[in-house]
Amino acid sequence: MNAKQEEFLKKREKLLEMGGMDKIAKQHAKGKLTARERLDLLFDKGTFVEIGMFVKQRKTDFGLDKKYIPGDGVVAGYGKVNGRTVYAYSQDFTALGGSIGEMTGEKMQRVMRAAIRTGCPLVALNDGAGGRIQEGNDIPHLTFVFNQSVKASGYIPQVAAVMGPCAGGCAYSPALMDYIVSVDKTSTMFLTGPKVIKQVTGEVCDENFGSGRFHAEISGVSHDLASDDYECIEKIKQYLSYFPQNCQEMPPVYACDQDPDELIPELNDIIPESTSKSYDVYKIIKLIADHDSVFEYYGKWAKNLVTCLARLNGRPVGFIANNTKVRAGVMDIDSSDKMSRFVTLCDAYNIPLVFLADVPGFLPGIGQEKGGVIRHGAKTLYANSAATVPKIRLTMRKFYGGGTAAMCDWGHEPDTTISWPGAEDAVMGAAGACEIIHAAALKKAREEGGEEGYRAKLKELSDDYELQFNNPYRRAEIFSTEMIIMPEETRKVLIKVLDSFYTKKVDNWPPKKHGIFPV
Ligand code: HXC
């Protein structure tokens, strides 16, 4: 080894130590792994190729030239995740808090551009203090990063993990990606922190403010919550397993040793006879899907709707189901946002959609109308209509009112519509409908027979209404339901339908630049 090689090895060794042993110890004491440890967990052993290790910031303001910022605060490169190439950057909090300066931004963009050029997914591991304050706004590094993310959006899968602070403008970077997973207790994300909020509005934030749980359960910014860094990386790998490398490929197919013609008798008794009783829709999805294949997206937010990635006979599929255990599965502002995002995500990456409908309609209320439920609800109609992947709607029980449009009704061009025998299909529930269309007869019944007479008449009229509308046959007769099946046949029918629609092709018509998504 000559002197130059020795010097190189020394430099490399020092850079691999990141911000130094004391900073690494601090990082560990907070329950966080380092940027390099995280990448080691993400990539298959020995596959990571690092770029830009020797990058150095060149600013001098506020003593920046005296600061040691190895790699300028971010580790970047590519490698294999379960055998497939993935690009990644990992912010290094031990190097000036992982703050983003000119060269940091350049490194982040470099891997993003390469990921787009090669058609491979991008993983961003965030643990940084935001824009580097000492550098001011000389170069808007972060806006270049946002720009790359927008270019990549819908072309390659983009995953953001929030594993520490992600403050200020930095928070927009995960927000532009497809799947955001936050780590409980160690992550924080906000545009303006508690101090600024107190100063400007006088509000006092509690300790949960901006936490991973806050964003997974309340704000809906994060799609998932991990208990620690290990689980976070595991979730990223699992998520990617459902996706193709880019939108021009089909999702990967996994071997499935289950019989594709298997009947699931348990499904016949899963929905209670009484339409006002709830049941476990997660159990239904698990019974229909391949064993251990269900991966929930947005599991802790807007829980009246369930959105899951799963597999059917080895092929990825997106399930969208009303959850009768939460507000009877009614649609509202947040569940509309959740559904339209999930539909758009699956459609972008050629993942077929299965809607499992048991929906009593949209939530009535002044709050919902003030919050713009019309424009939020419209997102579901837009996303469902615009989606060109195979779409299947299965009505398990209720299929009422505006909820029908949200759950991919006939007009949204589902490729197949299926009902279970207990399906009910009407503009609204029988009693509410009769109150309106038979108001005069009910008034007369009350005048003549009091409350008892009124109730008897309402039951008689409701029974008649239900006989006419609340069954699957009326729809089947006008061919807007194509099949009525026993619940136990669901898995085998879905597998056959998806198999036949695998080659579906739709021309985008009429030609246009893009539609105006209602937001
Ligand atoms: C430069 C920073 C920094 C920053 C922290 N550091 N934030 N350096 N720019 N934004 C440095 C610290 O000086 C310290 O340096 C090291 O990083 C670790 O920070 P600590 O404060 O010691 O760590 P901790 O106590 O864990 O607190 C972490 C923190 C806090 C919560 C993230 O540092 C913080 O609130 N920082 C500011 C966050 C913020 O407001 N960011 C928004 C920036 S503006 P030494 O040398 O001691 O190790 C922005 C706009 C972008 O992002 C616009 C885009 C369109």
Side-chain angles (χ1 to χ4, degrees), residues 23 30 67 93 96-97 99 129-134 142 165 167 169:
K23 293 238 163 82
K30 285 180 189 158
K67 291 270 182 197
F93 192 81
L96 204 65
S99 57
R132 188 169 296 152
I133 295 165
Q134 295 92 325
L142 274 167

Side-chain angles (χ1 to χ4, degrees), residues 4 40 69 87 100 121 141 184 232 247 294 314 330 352 384 404 437 445 454 461 466 490 495 497 499:
K4 283 193 176 169
D40 278 350
I69 319 172
Y87 286 75
I100 298 170
H141 336 286
D184 198 13
C232 180
C247 72
V294 178
V330 76
N384 292 344
T404 59
I437 59 176
Y454 164 81
L461 293 169
E466 283 183 359
T490 305
I495 287 173
V497 172
D499 192 50

Side-chain angles (χ1 to χ4, degrees), residues 23 26 30 32 64 67-68 93-100 127-137 140-143 146 164-172 188 190-193 195-196:
K23 293 238 163 82
K26 266 193 193 167
K30 285 180 189 158
K32 300 195 290 181
L64 263 185
K67 291 270 182 197
Y68 176 60
F93 192 81
T94 70
L96 204 65
S99 57
I100 298 170
D127 181 8
R132 188 169 296 152
I133 295 165
Q134 295 92 325
E135 292 195 21
N137 268 343
H141 336 286
L142 274 167
T143 54
F146 304 154
C166 187
C170 248
Y172 283 128
T188 45
F190 38 69
L191 287 187
T192 46
K195 278 187 193 153
V196 179

